[in-house]
Amino acid sequence: MIFKKGGKYHIAWRGPDNPIMGYGSSNLNMLKALRSSKVVSHPSAVDDGGPGITAEDCTVGVVYAPAGLGALERLPSPYRIVFTMFEADTWPTEWVSACNCANQVWVPSEFCKEAAIASGVESPIEIVPLGVDSEVYYPEPFEAKEASPTFTFGFSGAATMRKGFDILTQAFQQEFGHNEPVRLEIRSAHHLSATMPNDSRVVVIPGGCADFKMREWYRHIDCFVMPTRGEGFGLTPLEAMACGTPAIVTNWGGCVDYLGDYALRVGLDGLESCADYHKCGGKWASPSVASVRYCMRYAYEHRDEIRQMGDKAAGTVLEKWTYGHTAKVIEKLLAGVDPKERVEIESRSVVVWYGYPRTVFVKGVGQFVREIARELSDEKAALLVNDDRFVRERRYRRAKGSA
């Protein structure tokens, strides 16, 4: 099998290719950037990286996807790297199991790394930041943007609770009267949520579009707003900032890594449960509506100041947060890989209580806490087979002394 040949690293690569989705667009952009590096990615069995070399020939493989065991099993390589992210402070148990079966885990933010460790990921974790395509997202000349009498806030992405869409529309309607020249544009290729307000100032632009059209839209709006509850990284605020558009973003989660001094940060009312989100049992941010209102009002009343903020943000993003930088980080990490390293995995059968109340006592078996796994003998597990609120699962962990 092959890892390094002709001064280049050959790796199998598995990832989605839907450009409308976050994983898909970032995957395609990383593959594009890697073509200019010392890394040759082989997305399939097709010979696309040199005579006679396919993904199945590569010793090292990367899967870029939500970290289920199924994703990991798609890699043909014996040395496996999971590149993933999650939006809450606790990762789903299946994701932890998949990560513990990998030689390495790559995540795009410090937030993801801390959450993965706290959730029980034992594999070495490295941060590989995502970015923007600098050939697509860049600002127009500062003087070229003409001021409009109507101030336009913008939001793009899935109009969901996780993205804070309900908080955004609530804050917008509460803060601005109908006599004020403001509007909110929603650009989404996804099904819009039931929280869509009946307000003529809120304009929906449905469907996906090419990247260059997104660039023009980011330039067109006066301020991008995403009071998200949780992001593993958060691509859309970064794209807006790259185009010179100031952003209002929650001060929590993966976005924090790149906000710097060139964004308005939404404060929190604390954390709220998102236990049912991928059955993670964790929490994510509860963005403050009052803080969103304050930030939007500030942007509206300080247009020249936030335009300058956006201009400075673009310079920082294009210097430090591009996919070219991502490719360099990947190349550096691969230089430290020992392709002969193998991970030994211990498999265990567990029983998990998914019912209510939070704790339950079963005679002859003992106490269970919701979503906390317990290892049981087959004899004791058999006492629970008639109650579908108890689920038998298989978990994986790195064997003691494993690389």
Side-chain angles (χ1 to χ4, degrees), residues 21-334:
M21 307 299 289
Y23 268 108
S25 65
S26 53
N27 179 61
L28 293 172
N29 277 308
M30 281 190 288
L31 291 176
K32 176 183 175 182
L34 287 173
R35 294 189 195 112
S36 300
S37 73
K38 294 181 180 179
V39 180
V40 182
S41 60
H42 301 268
S44 67
V46 178
D47 176 7
D48 54 4
I53 301 176
T54 68
E56 282 64 27
D57 296 320
C58 297
T59 306
V60 176
V62 176
V63 58
Y64 179 62
L69 289 166
L72 190 67
E73 290 168 354
R74 292 201 299 271
L75 277 179
S77 310
Y79 188 107
R80 299 181 294 182
I81 299 170
V82 172
F83 191 174
T84 192
M85 68 193 84
F86 195 63
E87 298 85 4
D89 65 357
T90 305
W91 286 28
T93 53
E94 184 188 357
W95 291 35
V96 173
S97 289
C99 289
N100 284 338
C101 292
N103 294 75
Q104 289 188 41
V105 176
W106 293 352
V107 295
S109 64
E110 186 67 37
F111 165 76
C112 284
K113 180 176 181 177
E114 292 176 358
I117 292 172
S119 301
V121 174
E122 300 169 340
S123 299
I125 303 176
E126 301 289 349
I127 296 177
V128 180
L130 302 179
V132 298
D133 183 347
S134 58
E135 295 179 358
V136 175
Y137 296 107
Y138 54 87
E140 61 185 339
F142 186 77
E143 300 79 10
K145 188 169 185 177
E146 297 182 3
S148 168
T150 299
F151 191 94
T152 302
F153 293 100
F155 169 95
S156 66
T160 61
M161 176 181 174
R162 178 175 71 80
K163 294 287 185 180
F165 182 71
D166 56 324
I167 295 172
L168 169 60
T169 53
Q170 180 184 349
F172 175 79
Q173 290 186 299
Q174 289 180 357
E175 185 58 32
F176 298 102
H178 283 269
N179 61 328
E180 295 181 278
V182 295
R183 62 190 266 147
L184 172 61
E185 290 190 5
I186 310 298
R187 187 150 209 153
S188 180
H190 304 78
H191 176 71
L192 295 178
S193 67
T195 57
M196 178 62 65
N198 182 19
D199 189 328
S200 61
R201 300 171 300 167
V202 180
V203 179
V204 178
I205 306 173
C209 66
D211 285 347
F212 76 90
K213 289 187 177 180
M214 282 301 300
R215 176 188 66 212
E216 298 309 311
W217 180 78
Y218 283 131
R219 290 174 174 179
H220 149 73
I221 61 176
D222 294 292
C223 184
F224 182 86
V225 191
M226 190 175 76
T228 178
R229 288 179 169 86
E231 299 292 326
F233 183 77
L235 288 170
T236 50
L238 191 68
E239 291 171 350
M241 292 166 68
C243 294
T245 301
I248 297 173
V249 188
T250 307
N251 190 31
W252 193 85
C255 302
V256 171
D257 285 8
Y258 60 74
L259 293 181
D261 297 327
Y262 308 121
L264 297 176
R265 302 187 184 216
V266 174
L268 309 183
D269 286 334
L271 299 181
E272 61 186 58
S273 173
C274 59
D276 293 334
Y277 183 67
H278 292 275
K279 294 183 178 180
C280 71
K283 295 181 179 181
W284 53 26
S286 178
S288 165
V289 174
S291 182
V292 179
R293 291 179 60 177
Y294 174 85
C295 290
M296 295 178 80
R297 174 62 65 178
Y298 189 93
Y300 174 73
E301 294 182 349
H302 299 81
R303 302 189 189 194
D304 289 341
E305 180 183 335
I306 67 161
R307 281 189 67 192
Q308 293 175 12
M309 177 185 290
D311 189 55
K312 292 178 180 178
T316 299
V317 171
L318 295 175
E319 179 185 355
K320 299 179 179 179
W321 296 92
T322 67
Y323 284 108
H325 178 249
T326 304
K328 289 180 180 178
V329 174
I330 291 175
E331 184 179 316
K332 183 177 180 180
L333 289 175
L334 291 176

